[in-house]
Amino acid sequence: MKQSKTILTTALVLAGLFAASQTQAAAVTFNFSSSNAWTKSDLIFNSGSDSVTVGGFRGGNDTSVSSTRSFIGANSAGLVVCSGGNSNTGDSATSCSGDEHTIDNNGSDEDVKFTFSQEVTLLSATFKYWDGKGSSTSNMDDFSLFVGTTPRFTDQTIVTGSSEGTATFNFTTVGGDLTDSVFYIGARGDGDTFKLYSLTVEIPAVPEPSTYLLMLSGLGLLGWKFGRKSMNA
């Protein structure tokens, strides 16, 4: 009888630990190809039960993120930022009529800020309307990335090639720590322009409540078993 209880207790604990070890992080893609008018407020995009808050900013540089709110919107090609059209003042939505309707550095550098409710790891980003501007790598459109407020890079080529279109950048190719709850993706330097169509991140998985219940049941039985042994001693 005692041996059976010991076997049952051990099995419950091992089953719980195994179930927890099988809980894996999930890759989640946020698609920004929707219809959102110009706004200086945040936009919220959902993917299943997960969400990300998105805002537009302008005025950063190679070592600091943009600090001033700018207009952000979205269309069928993804996220776009407006620094105020030809005047680059950004004082009214009507001034965006002269903007390039992209994330660019025309007049001022532009950033999109992504805020998650928990730490995530960047996996990939898909861009549209990027401009190859010839066959030379030095002429390709680049984008900037800040992990939190720390610059990761400010001149990463989206993709080599001379055609405009859709391009997906895999963040695993650059390595390093790409895990945080806040990211900035934007345009720096001269003549960079693109729209951000989607962003894929890895979100840590939360074990099911049944997993914790299984583990607690096993640990409870172990505690009861050793408590009995201590009393009998």
Side-chain angles (χ1 to χ4, degrees):
M1 185 67 178
K2 290 183 178 180
Q3 185 177 10
S4 298
K5 288 184 178 180
T6 302
I7 293 174
L8 176 61
T9 301
T10 304
L12 283 170
V13 173
L14 290 177
L17 292 174
F18 177 76
S21 67
Q22 296 304 302
T23 305
Q24 298 179 350
V28 177
T29 297
F30 294 91
N31 192 301
F32 307 119
S33 60
S34 61
S35 179
N36 290 92
W38 293 119
T39 178
K40 279 192 174 181
S41 300
D42 288 327
L43 300 176
I44 297 178
F45 292 89
N46 299 301
S47 180
S49 60
D50 300 300
S51 64
V52 60
T53 301
V54 179
F57 290 82
R58 74 178 192 275
N61 54 50
D62 287 355
T63 59
S64 67
V65 296
S66 300
S67 57
T68 305
R69 278 276 184 177
S70 191
F71 285 99
I72 189 168
N75 54 35
S76 60
L79 292 172
V80 293
V81 176
C82 171
S83 297
N86 294 329
S87 64
N88 288 298
T89 58
D91 293 330
S92 66
T94 56
S95 65
C96 290
S97 59
D99 194 79
E100 293 187 23
H101 287 202
T102 57
I103 301 168
D104 58 64
N105 43 40
N106 180 28
S108 64
D109 293 332
E110 296 175 345
D111 283 326
V112 177
K113 180 182 180 182
F114 299 90
T115 304
F116 296 87
S117 60
Q118 61 181 316
E119 287 194 342
V120 302
T121 301
L122 287 183
L123 296 180
S124 65
T126 297
F127 300 89
K128 286 198 172 185
Y129 287 87
W130 63 277
D131 185 1
K133 295 190 291 293
S135 58
S136 172
T137 302
S138 62
N139 290 331
M140 303 300 167
D141 277 341
D142 300 325
F143 71 98
S144 63
L145 171 66
F146 284 74
V147 179
T149 57
T150 302
R152 182 65 182 82
F153 48 69
T154 55
D155 57 354
Q156 180 64 56
T157 300
I158 293 175
V159 65
T160 56
S162 58
S163 299
E164 296 183 4
T166 301
T168 297
F169 182 85
N170 187 347
F171 286 104
T172 61
T173 61
V174 297
D177 186 8
L178 297 174
T179 300
D180 207 299
S181 60
V182 176
F183 301 91
Y184 290 79
I185 294 179
R188 296 286 190 279
D190 181 28
D192 294 322
T193 176
F194 50 82
K195 299 183 181 185
L196 190 51
Y197 183 77
S198 66
L199 189 67
T200 299
V201 300
E202 185 178 77
I203 297 180
V206 178
E208 295 292 332
S210 58
T211 298
Y212 291 117
L213 181 60
L214 192 61
M215 293 174 65
L216 289 173
S217 298
L219 291 173
L221 284 172
L222 276 177
W224 174 80
K225 179 178 182 297
F226 285 111
R228 286 284 300 267
K229 288 181 67 176
S230 178
M231 290 178 61
N232 291 335

